[in-house]
Amino acid sequence: MKELIEKAEVLQEALPYIRRFRGSRFVIKYGGHAMVDADLKRSFARDVALLRYVGLSPVVVHGGGPQIGEMLDRLGIQTRFVDGQRVTDEETMRVVEMVLGGGVNQELVGLICEHGGRAVGLSGQDDRFIVARRVEAAVDLGRVGEPTEVRPDVIERLLAGDFLPVIAPIGVDADGGPLNINADTVASKVAQALRAEKLILMTDTAGVRAADGRLLGSLDTARAQALIADGTISGGMIPKVRFALDAVANGVGKVHIVDGRTRHAVLLEIFTDQGIGTEVVE
Ligand SMILES: Nc1ncnc2c1ncn2[C@@H]1O[C@H](COP(=O)(O)OP(=O)(O)O)[C@@H](O)[C@H]1O
Ligand SMILES: [Mg+2]
């Protein structure tokens, strides 16, 4: 009996958050380990379906680096990375589109729908809603892009229709050609275009760590710049932190970098007081 009462109390504790966040947009970047572990995958899909059922408006943006790498290996296509970005020639881009848009996206849509989530998958090609340009770098990165504009119309309509958008991070250039974009960047720009209450970036580590390995509960622009400059923040954490800051500077209420290896990380972040991971502030 005691256990049952405790369960009921957990529900009660969520009430103020459910009231406060009713109708609010939550953009969730789904990536890292949570994408490859079958149990965590299912648990994530259930969690986002639950968010929708309690009246929030979740929008998911997913990554897929490991899945793309695996397919390229199987096809015997060589790729290389420059500054953490995959050099994307035309052939590689076709694989990226296939794996992200066809594979990863539809699998996630299927799992969310299994729990009644009414998920609809799309990429920036749909209605050309993610406009992008090629990233300029010292070496030619090929079809690697950065978003220049997110036109939220199609997402707004899906949300108005009570659907749950699941977005693959592919943009279109001025000629209508596809561009491969970092998913954190897309999630940040989508959150800005939707004026989201919160942007949650799930990753495969506890949050942002200081040079001594300590987890930073909070991170502001000045500290982030210093940590990037001295190399403490490196690799994939750089775009994550940069675009988290970009989001808070441009109308997104809060941004959190959380550990996707923790079961129910998204629910814990939204419905409890103990913030988890790293909160990014201006
Ligand atoms: N200061 C830091 N704190 C935490 N992680 C860091 C830091 N600097 C670099 N990283 C690396 O960034 C990685 C997360 O980025 P990334 O590999 O792109 O994963 P994701 O799939 O979540 O985008 C971490 O696993 C870690 O190896
Ligand atoms: Mg990354």
Side-chain angles (χ1 to χ4, degrees), residues 29 31-32 184 202-205 207-209 232-234 236-237 240:
K29 189 287 184 111
D184 297 311
M202 295 172 72
T203 185
D204 58 359
T205 177
V208 183
R209 294 188 181 284
T232 304
I233 293 176
S234 63
M237 197 49 82
K240 216 180 286 298

Side-chain angles (χ1 to χ4, degrees), residues 28 47-56 58 266-267 270-271:
I28 302 159
D47 288 355
V48 285
L50 185 141
L51 293 181
R52 182 182 155 269
Y53 272 107
V54 295
L56 280 55
V266 169
L267 298 186
I270 297 176
F271 295 119

Side-chain angles (χ1 to χ4, degrees), residues 4 44 53 57 71 86 99-100 107 119 140 158 184 205 207 211 217 225 231-232 252-253 257 267 278:
L4 289 175
F44 172 77
Y53 272 107
S57 294
M71 183 58 80
R86 186 191 300 280
V99 173
L100 287 184
E107 186 193 8
D140 184 7
L158 288 172
D184 297 311
T205 177
Q225 278 168 350
T232 304
V252 176
I257 297 172
L267 298 186
T278 302

